PDB file of all heavy atoms in Angstrom:
ATOM      1  N   ALA A 105       0.814  -1.215   0.000  1.00  0.00           N
ATOM      2  CA  ALA A 105       0.000   0.000   0.000  1.00  0.00           C
ATOM      3  C   ALA A 105       0.852   1.271   0.000  1.00  0.00           C
ATOM      4  O   ALA A 105       0.302   2.375  -0.009  1.00  0.00           O
ATOM      5  CB  ALA A 105      -0.928  -0.010   1.213  1.00  0.00           C
ATOM      6  N   GLY A 106       2.172   1.110   0.027  1.00  0.00           N
ATOM      7  CA  GLY A 106       3.049   2.271   0.012  1.00  0.00           C
ATOM      8  C   GLY A 106       3.078   3.024   1.330  1.00  0.00           C
ATOM      9  O   GLY A 106       3.288   4.234   1.353  1.00  0.00           O
ATOM     10  N   LYS A 107       2.870   2.323   2.427  1.00  0.00           N
ATOM     11  CA  LYS A 107       2.787   2.972   3.741  1.00  0.00           C
ATOM     12  C   LYS A 107       4.154   3.126   4.411  1.00  0.00           C
ATOM     13  O   LYS A 107       4.312   2.851   5.590  1.00  0.00           O
ATOM     14  CB  LYS A 107       1.846   2.202   4.650  1.00  0.00           C
ATOM     15  CG  LYS A 107       0.412   2.271   4.171  1.00  0.00           C
ATOM     16  CD  LYS A 107      -0.538   1.692   5.168  1.00  0.00           C
ATOM     17  CE  LYS A 107      -1.959   1.889   4.672  1.00  0.00           C
ATOM     18  NZ  LYS A 107      -2.926   1.234   5.493  1.00  0.00           N
ATOM     19  N   ASN A 108       5.129   3.572   3.648  1.00  0.00           N
ATOM     20  CA  ASN A 108       6.442   3.926   4.181  1.00  0.00           C
ATOM     21  C   ASN A 108       7.134   2.765   4.900  1.00  0.00           C
ATOM     22  O   ASN A 108       7.771   2.954   5.937  1.00  0.00           O
ATOM     23  CB  ASN A 108       6.330   5.149   5.103  1.00  0.00           C
ATOM     24  CG  ASN A 108       7.648   5.879   5.234  1.00  0.00           C
ATOM     25  OD1 ASN A 108       8.490   5.796   4.343  1.00  0.00           O
ATOM     26  ND2 ASN A 108       7.826   6.589   6.318  1.00  0.00           N
ATOM     27  N   VAL A 109       7.003   1.554   4.381  1.00  0.00           N
ATOM     28  CA  VAL A 109       7.741   0.405   4.897  1.00  0.00           C
ATOM     29  C   VAL A 109       9.005   0.290   4.053  1.00  0.00           C
ATOM     30  O   VAL A 109       8.925   0.169   2.835  1.00  0.00           O
ATOM     31  CB  VAL A 109       6.917  -0.900   4.797  1.00  0.00           C
ATOM     32  CG1 VAL A 109       7.737  -2.085   5.257  1.00  0.00           C
ATOM     33  CG2 VAL A 109       5.627  -0.777   5.591  1.00  0.00           C
ATOM     34  N   PRO A 110      10.175   0.351   4.674  1.00  0.00           N
ATOM     35  CA  PRO A 110      11.409   0.287   3.880  1.00  0.00           C
ATOM     36  C   PRO A 110      11.558  -1.051   3.166  1.00  0.00           C
ATOM     37  O   PRO A 110      11.038  -2.079   3.614  1.00  0.00           O
ATOM     38  CB  PRO A 110      12.513   0.496   4.911  1.00  0.00           C
ATOM     39  CG  PRO A 110      11.905   0.267   6.238  1.00  0.00           C
ATOM     40  CD  PRO A 110      10.436   0.458   6.105  1.00  0.00           C
ATOM     41  N   ASP A 111      12.295  -1.028   2.059  1.00  0.00           N
ATOM     42  CA  ASP A 111      12.558  -2.268   1.327  1.00  0.00           C
ATOM     43  C   ASP A 111      13.389  -3.243   2.152  1.00  0.00           C
ATOM     44  O   ASP A 111      13.278  -4.455   1.981  1.00  0.00           O
ATOM     45  CB  ASP A 111      13.272  -1.986   0.014  1.00  0.00           C
ATOM     46  CG  ASP A 111      12.321  -1.586  -1.094  1.00  0.00           C
ATOM     47  OD1 ASP A 111      11.094  -1.528  -0.861  1.00  0.00           O
ATOM     48  OD2 ASP A 111      12.806  -1.330  -2.212  1.00  0.00           O
ATOM     49  N   GLU A 112      14.226  -2.718   3.015  1.00  0.00           N
ATOM     50  CA  GLU A 112      15.027  -3.560   3.904  1.00  0.00           C
ATOM     51  C   GLU A 112      14.653  -3.239   5.344  1.00  0.00           C
ATOM     52  O   GLU A 112      15.037  -2.208   5.883  1.00  0.00           O
ATOM     53  CB  GLU A 112      16.514  -3.319   3.679  1.00  0.00           C
ATOM     54  CG  GLU A 112      16.960  -3.736   2.292  1.00  0.00           C
ATOM     55  CD  GLU A 112      18.421  -3.434   2.033  1.00  0.00           C
ATOM     56  OE1 GLU A 112      19.114  -2.903   2.934  1.00  0.00           O
ATOM     57  OE2 GLU A 112      18.864  -3.712   0.930  1.00  0.00           O
ATOM     58  N   LEU A 113      13.884  -4.111   5.934  1.00  0.00           N
ATOM     59  CA  LEU A 113      13.472  -3.965   7.323  1.00  0.00           C
ATOM     60  C   LEU A 113      14.189  -5.076   8.086  1.00  0.00           C
ATOM     61  O   LEU A 113      13.823  -6.250   7.989  1.00  0.00           O
ATOM     62  CB  LEU A 113      11.962  -4.098   7.440  1.00  0.00           C
ATOM     63  CG  LEU A 113      11.336  -3.803   8.788  1.00  0.00           C
ATOM     64  CD1 LEU A 113      11.678  -2.394   9.255  1.00  0.00           C
ATOM     65  CD2 LEU A 113       9.828  -3.964   8.708  1.00  0.00           C
ATOM     66  N   LEU A 114      15.247  -4.692   8.811  1.00  0.00           N
ATOM     67  CA  LEU A 114      16.168  -5.678   9.365  1.00  0.00           C
ATOM     68  C   LEU A 114      16.145  -5.708  10.887  1.00  0.00           C
ATOM     69  O   LEU A 114      16.043  -4.673  11.546  1.00  0.00           O
ATOM     70  CB  LEU A 114      17.593  -5.370   8.898  1.00  0.00           C
ATOM     71  CG  LEU A 114      17.777  -5.214   7.391  1.00  0.00           C
ATOM     72  CD1 LEU A 114      19.203  -4.798   7.076  1.00  0.00           C
ATOM     73  CD2 LEU A 114      17.400  -6.492   6.654  1.00  0.00           C
ATOM     74  N   ASN A 115      16.245  -6.930  11.415  1.00  0.00           N
ATOM     75  CA  ASN A 115      16.486  -7.172  12.828  1.00  0.00           C
ATOM     76  C   ASN A 115      15.396  -6.596  13.739  1.00  0.00           C
ATOM     77  O   ASN A 115      15.686  -6.051  14.796  1.00  0.00           O
ATOM     78  CB  ASN A 115      17.869  -6.620  13.220  1.00  0.00           C
ATOM     79  CG  ASN A 115      18.412  -7.279  14.457  1.00  0.00           C
ATOM     80  OD1 ASN A 115      18.168  -8.446  14.718  1.00  0.00           O
ATOM     81  ND2 ASN A 115      19.149  -6.523  15.240  1.00  0.00           N
ATOM     82  N   TYR A 116      14.145  -6.720  13.335  1.00  0.00           N
ATOM     83  CA  TYR A 116      13.059  -6.259  14.204  1.00  0.00           C
ATOM     84  C   TYR A 116      12.541  -7.426  15.038  1.00  0.00           C
ATOM     85  O   TYR A 116      12.726  -8.594  14.693  1.00  0.00           O
ATOM     86  CB  TYR A 116      11.934  -5.597  13.405  1.00  0.00           C
ATOM     87  CG  TYR A 116      11.188  -6.479  12.435  1.00  0.00           C
ATOM     88  CD1 TYR A 116      10.016  -7.122  12.812  1.00  0.00           C
ATOM     89  CD2 TYR A 116      11.641  -6.650  11.127  1.00  0.00           C
ATOM     90  CE1 TYR A 116       9.313  -7.923  11.926  1.00  0.00           C
ATOM     91  CE2 TYR A 116      10.943  -7.435  10.234  1.00  0.00           C
ATOM     92  CZ  TYR A 116       9.792  -8.076  10.634  1.00  0.00           C
ATOM     93  OH  TYR A 116       9.104  -8.870   9.751  1.00  0.00           O
ATOM     94  N   GLU A 117      11.919  -7.105  16.158  1.00  0.00           N
ATOM     95  CA  GLU A 117      11.414  -8.140  17.040  1.00  0.00           C
ATOM     96  C   GLU A 117      10.019  -8.568  16.610  1.00  0.00           C
ATOM     97  O   GLU A 117       9.177  -7.735  16.287  1.00  0.00           O
ATOM     98  CB  GLU A 117      11.385  -7.659  18.488  1.00  0.00           C
ATOM     99  CG  GLU A 117      11.081  -8.790  19.450  1.00  0.00           C
ATOM    100  CD  GLU A 117      11.398  -8.448  20.897  1.00  0.00           C
ATOM    101  OE1 GLU A 117      12.371  -7.728  21.141  1.00  0.00           O
ATOM    102  OE2 GLU A 117      10.650  -8.922  21.766  1.00  0.00           O
ATOM    103  N   GLY A 118       9.808  -9.863  16.599  1.00  0.00           N
ATOM    104  CA  GLY A 118       8.508 -10.426  16.277  1.00  0.00           C
ATOM    105  C   GLY A 118       8.122 -11.449  17.329  1.00  0.00           C
ATOM    106  O   GLY A 118       8.887 -11.732  18.251  1.00  0.00           O
ATOM    107  N   THR A 119       6.947 -12.016  17.168  1.00  0.00           N
ATOM    108  CA  THR A 119       6.453 -13.030  18.095  1.00  0.00           C
ATOM    109  C   THR A 119       5.850 -14.174  17.293  1.00  0.00           C
ATOM    110  O   THR A 119       5.027 -13.955  16.402  1.00  0.00           O
ATOM    111  CB  THR A 119       5.374 -12.441  19.031  1.00  0.00           C
ATOM    112  OG1 THR A 119       5.906 -11.276  19.664  1.00  0.00           O
ATOM    113  CG2 THR A 119       4.958 -13.440  20.081  1.00  0.00           C
ATOM    114  N   ALA A 120       6.245 -15.384  17.624  1.00  0.00           N
ATOM    115  CA  ALA A 120       5.670 -16.577  16.996  1.00  0.00           C
ATOM    116  C   ALA A 120       4.252 -16.777  17.518  1.00  0.00           C
ATOM    117  O   ALA A 120       3.895 -16.255  18.581  1.00  0.00           O
ATOM    118  CB  ALA A 120       6.536 -17.795  17.307  1.00  0.00           C
ATOM    119  N   PRO A 121       3.429 -17.526  16.802  1.00  0.00           N
ATOM    120  CA  PRO A 121       2.053 -17.773  17.264  1.00  0.00           C
ATOM    121  C   PRO A 121       1.983 -18.367  18.669  1.00  0.00           C
ATOM    122  O   PRO A 121       1.021 -18.128  19.398  1.00  0.00           O
ATOM    123  CB  PRO A 121       1.496 -18.750  16.223  1.00  0.00           C
ATOM    124  CG  PRO A 121       2.279 -18.479  14.999  1.00  0.00           C
ATOM    125  CD  PRO A 121       3.661 -18.120  15.481  1.00  0.00           C
ATOM    126  N   ASP A 122       3.017 -19.102  19.083  1.00  0.00           N
ATOM    127  CA  ASP A 122       3.020 -19.698  20.425  1.00  0.00           C
ATOM    128  C   ASP A 122       3.672 -18.793  21.472  1.00  0.00           C
ATOM    129  O   ASP A 122       3.876 -19.199  22.610  1.00  0.00           O
ATOM    130  CB  ASP A 122       3.691 -21.068  20.410  1.00  0.00           C
ATOM    131  CG  ASP A 122       5.160 -21.007  20.014  1.00  0.00           C
ATOM    132  OD1 ASP A 122       5.708 -19.891  19.843  1.00  0.00           O
ATOM    133  OD2 ASP A 122       5.757 -22.087  19.865  1.00  0.00           O
ATOM    134  N   GLY A 123       4.010 -17.548  21.084  1.00  0.00           N
ATOM    135  CA  GLY A 123       4.535 -16.578  22.032  1.00  0.00           C
ATOM    136  C   GLY A 123       6.047 -16.452  22.081  1.00  0.00           C
ATOM    137  O   GLY A 123       6.565 -15.571  22.763  1.00  0.00           O
ATOM    138  N   ARG A 124       6.763 -17.332  21.383  1.00  0.00           N
ATOM    139  CA  ARG A 124       8.230 -17.223  21.397  1.00  0.00           C
ATOM    140  C   ARG A 124       8.681 -15.919  20.742  1.00  0.00           C
ATOM    141  O   ARG A 124       8.085 -15.476  19.768  1.00  0.00           O
ATOM    142  CB  ARG A 124       8.864 -18.390  20.642  1.00  0.00           C
ATOM    143  CG  ARG A 124       8.740 -19.704  21.351  1.00  0.00           C
ATOM    144  CD  ARG A 124       9.305 -20.828  20.521  1.00  0.00           C
ATOM    145  NE  ARG A 124       8.393 -21.029  19.382  1.00  0.00           N
ATOM    146  CZ  ARG A 124       8.709 -21.662  18.269  1.00  0.00           C
ATOM    147  NH1 ARG A 124       9.911 -22.171  18.110  1.00  0.00           N
ATOM    148  NH2 ARG A 124       7.823 -21.805  17.300  1.00  0.00           N
ATOM    149  N   ARG A 125       9.746 -15.328  21.304  1.00  0.00           N
ATOM    150  CA  ARG A 125      10.323 -14.107  20.745  1.00  0.00           C
ATOM    151  C   ARG A 125      11.139 -14.462  19.504  1.00  0.00           C
ATOM    152  O   ARG A 125      11.856 -15.459  19.495  1.00  0.00           O
ATOM    153  CB  ARG A 125      11.221 -13.414  21.772  1.00  0.00           C
ATOM    154  CG  ARG A 125      10.444 -12.782  22.901  1.00  0.00           C
ATOM    155  CD  ARG A 125      11.336 -12.071  23.899  1.00  0.00           C
ATOM    156  NE  ARG A 125      12.238 -11.147  23.246  1.00  0.00           N
ATOM    157  CZ  ARG A 125      13.535 -11.022  23.551  1.00  0.00           C
ATOM    158  NH1 ARG A 125      14.070 -11.752  24.497  1.00  0.00           N
ATOM    159  NH2 ARG A 125      14.289 -10.138  22.913  1.00  0.00           N
ATOM    160  N   LEU A 126      11.025 -13.609  18.488  1.00  0.00           N
ATOM    161  CA  LEU A 126      11.751 -13.812  17.233  1.00  0.00           C
ATOM    162  C   LEU A 126      12.545 -12.576  16.875  1.00  0.00           C
ATOM    163  O   LEU A 126      12.193 -11.467  17.256  1.00  0.00           O
ATOM    164  CB  LEU A 126      10.762 -14.082  16.084  1.00  0.00           C
ATOM    165  CG  LEU A 126       9.717 -15.173  16.255  1.00  0.00           C
ATOM    166  CD1 LEU A 126       8.781 -15.186  15.058  1.00  0.00           C
ATOM    167  CD2 LEU A 126      10.385 -16.518  16.450  1.00  0.00           C
ATOM    168  N   LYS A 127      13.610 -12.769  16.120  1.00  0.00           N
ATOM    169  CA  LYS A 127      14.278 -11.685  15.407  1.00  0.00           C
ATOM    170  C   LYS A 127      13.926 -11.917  13.942  1.00  0.00           C
ATOM    171  O   LYS A 127      14.065 -13.026  13.418  1.00  0.00           O
ATOM    172  CB  LYS A 127      15.796 -11.727  15.586  1.00  0.00           C
ATOM    173  CG  LYS A 127      16.254 -11.101  16.856  1.00  0.00           C
ATOM    174  CD  LYS A 127      15.983  -9.610  16.855  1.00  0.00           C
ATOM    175  CE  LYS A 127      16.553  -8.967  18.093  1.00  0.00           C
ATOM    176  NZ  LYS A 127      16.364  -7.551  18.132  1.00  0.00           N
ATOM    177  N   CYS A 128      13.477 -10.852  13.279  1.00  0.00           N
ATOM    178  CA  CYS A 128      12.966 -10.981  11.925  1.00  0.00           C
ATOM    179  C   CYS A 128      13.608  -9.944  11.007  1.00  0.00           C
ATOM    180  O   CYS A 128      13.999  -8.871  11.449  1.00  0.00           O
ATOM    181  CB  CYS A 128      11.456 -10.775  11.910  1.00  0.00           C
ATOM    182  SG  CYS A 128      10.553 -11.842  13.057  1.00  0.00           S
ATOM    183  N   SER A 129      13.667 -10.284   9.739  1.00  0.00           N
ATOM    184  CA  SER A 129      14.081  -9.342   8.694  1.00  0.00           C
ATOM    185  C   SER A 129      13.234  -9.612   7.470  1.00  0.00           C
ATOM    186  O   SER A 129      12.882 -10.758   7.181  1.00  0.00           O
ATOM    187  CB  SER A 129      15.560  -9.511   8.350  1.00  0.00           C
ATOM    188  OG  SER A 129      16.375  -9.139   9.435  1.00  0.00           O
ATOM    189  N   SER A 130      12.900  -8.545   6.748  1.00  0.00           N
ATOM    190  CA  SER A 130      12.092  -8.651   5.535  1.00  0.00           C
ATOM    191  C   SER A 130      12.746  -7.775   4.466  1.00  0.00           C
ATOM    192  O   SER A 130      12.986  -6.588   4.702  1.00  0.00           O
ATOM    193  CB  SER A 130      10.663  -8.185   5.805  1.00  0.00           C
ATOM    194  OG  SER A 130       9.905  -8.187   4.608  1.00  0.00           O
ATOM    195  N   ILE A 131      13.011  -8.366   3.317  1.00  0.00           N
ATOM    196  CA  ILE A 131      13.657  -7.655   2.222  1.00  0.00           C
ATOM    197  C   ILE A 131      12.750  -7.725   0.997  1.00  0.00           C
ATOM    198  O   ILE A 131      12.389  -8.814   0.542  1.00  0.00           O
ATOM    199  CB  ILE A 131      15.033  -8.267   1.908  1.00  0.00           C
ATOM    200  CG1 ILE A 131      15.909  -8.214   3.173  1.00  0.00           C
ATOM    201  CG2 ILE A 131      15.685  -7.550   0.738  1.00  0.00           C
ATOM    202  CD1 ILE A 131      17.180  -9.011   3.080  1.00  0.00           C
ATOM    203  N   ALA A 132      12.383  -6.557   0.486  1.00  0.00           N
ATOM    204  CA  ALA A 132      11.509  -6.489  -0.686  1.00  0.00           C
ATOM    205  C   ALA A 132      12.232  -7.008  -1.926  1.00  0.00           C
ATOM    206  O   ALA A 132      13.448  -6.877  -2.054  1.00  0.00           O
ATOM    207  CB  ALA A 132      11.046  -5.059  -0.914  1.00  0.00           C
ATOM    208  N   ILE A 133      11.451  -7.577  -2.833  1.00  0.00           N
ATOM    209  CA  ILE A 133      11.954  -8.029  -4.136  1.00  0.00           C
ATOM    210  C   ILE A 133      11.283  -7.161  -5.189  1.00  0.00           C
ATOM    211  O   ILE A 133      10.048  -7.088  -5.246  1.00  0.00           O
ATOM    212  CB  ILE A 133      11.634  -9.514  -4.378  1.00  0.00           C
ATOM    213  CG1 ILE A 133      12.271 -10.377  -3.279  1.00  0.00           C
ATOM    214  CG2 ILE A 133      12.084  -9.940  -5.770  1.00  0.00           C
ATOM    215  CD1 ILE A 133      11.788 -11.807  -3.272  1.00  0.00           C
ATOM    216  N   ARG A 134      12.092  -6.497  -5.997  1.00  0.00           N
ATOM    217  CA  ARG A 134      11.594  -5.610  -7.048  1.00  0.00           C
ATOM    218  C   ARG A 134      12.149  -6.039  -8.397  1.00  0.00           C
ATOM    219  O   ARG A 134      13.226  -6.622  -8.472  1.00  0.00           O
ATOM    220  CB  ARG A 134      11.981  -4.164  -6.764  1.00  0.00           C
ATOM    221  CG  ARG A 134      11.303  -3.605  -5.515  1.00  0.00           C
ATOM    222  CD  ARG A 134      11.646  -2.152  -5.285  1.00  0.00           C
ATOM    223  NE  ARG A 134      10.935  -1.622  -4.137  1.00  0.00           N
ATOM    224  CZ  ARG A 134       9.711  -1.123  -4.161  1.00  0.00           C
ATOM    225  NH1 ARG A 134       9.041  -1.061  -5.303  1.00  0.00           N
ATOM    226  NH2 ARG A 134       9.126  -0.682  -3.059  1.00  0.00           N
ATOM    227  N   ASP A 135      11.417  -5.715  -9.462  1.00  0.00           N
ATOM    228  CA  ASP A 135      11.904  -6.019 -10.805  1.00  0.00           C
ATOM    229  C   ASP A 135      12.742  -4.849 -11.337  1.00  0.00           C
ATOM    230  O   ASP A 135      12.998  -3.875 -10.628  1.00  0.00           O
ATOM    231  CB  ASP A 135      10.748  -6.387 -11.746  1.00  0.00           C
ATOM    232  CG  ASP A 135       9.795  -5.235 -12.023  1.00  0.00           C
ATOM    233  OD1 ASP A 135      10.114  -4.070 -11.706  1.00  0.00           O
ATOM    234  OD2 ASP A 135       8.717  -5.498 -12.581  1.00  0.00           O
ATOM    235  N   GLU A 136      13.139  -4.955 -12.601  1.00  0.00           N
ATOM    236  CA  GLU A 136      13.995  -3.948 -13.219  1.00  0.00           C
ATOM    237  C   GLU A 136      13.332  -2.576 -13.303  1.00  0.00           C
ATOM    238  O   GLU A 136      14.004  -1.556 -13.369  1.00  0.00           O
ATOM    239  CB  GLU A 136      14.412  -4.386 -14.636  1.00  0.00           C
ATOM    240  CG  GLU A 136      15.246  -5.650 -14.670  1.00  0.00           C
ATOM    241  CD  GLU A 136      14.403  -6.923 -14.581  1.00  0.00           C
ATOM    242  OE1 GLU A 136      13.165  -6.882 -14.792  1.00  0.00           O
ATOM    243  OE2 GLU A 136      14.997  -7.967 -14.257  1.00  0.00           O
ATOM    244  N   GLN A 137      12.011  -2.520 -13.298  1.00  0.00           N
ATOM    245  CA  GLN A 137      11.274  -1.260 -13.338  1.00  0.00           C
ATOM    246  C   GLN A 137      10.929  -0.756 -11.930  1.00  0.00           C
ATOM    247  O   GLN A 137      10.133   0.157 -11.770  1.00  0.00           O
ATOM    248  CB  GLN A 137       9.983  -1.397 -14.163  1.00  0.00           C
ATOM    249  CG  GLN A 137      10.213  -1.575 -15.647  1.00  0.00           C
ATOM    250  CD  GLN A 137      10.668  -2.980 -16.008  1.00  0.00           C
ATOM    251  OE1 GLN A 137      10.219  -3.959 -15.421  1.00  0.00           O
ATOM    252  NE2 GLN A 137      11.596  -3.078 -16.947  1.00  0.00           N
ATOM    253  N   ASN A 138      11.518  -1.392 -10.924  1.00  0.00           N
ATOM    254  CA  ASN A 138      11.304  -1.039  -9.520  1.00  0.00           C
ATOM    255  C   ASN A 138       9.893  -1.360  -9.025  1.00  0.00           C
ATOM    256  O   ASN A 138       9.445  -0.832  -8.015  1.00  0.00           O
ATOM    257  CB  ASN A 138      11.655   0.433  -9.246  1.00  0.00           C
ATOM    258  CG  ASN A 138      12.004   0.665  -7.796  1.00  0.00           C
ATOM    259  OD1 ASN A 138      12.618  -0.177  -7.155  1.00  0.00           O
ATOM    260  ND2 ASN A 138      11.607   1.815  -7.279  1.00  0.00           N
TER     261      ASN A 138
END
């Protein structure tokens, strides 16, 4: 939706469905036209 989420969102804290703490990273995949 273009809500200012960076293409590289690294080392953020997440939570597994069972409550375990996670370290997470998400990297966008773009084509040649961005």
Side-chain angles (χ1 to χ4, degrees):
K107 293 189 176 174
N108 203 25
V109 176
D111 277 0
E112 295 177 1
L113 187 57
L114 307 175
N115 202 33
Y116 64 94
E117 189 165 325
T119 306
D122 63 5
R124 289 176 290 161
R125 289 181 51 224
L126 308 175
K127 278 294 185 178
C128 306
S129 293
S130 175
I131 302 169
I133 301 168
R134 294 183 177 274
D135 66 13
E136 297 81 16
Q137 291 76 37
N138 204 36

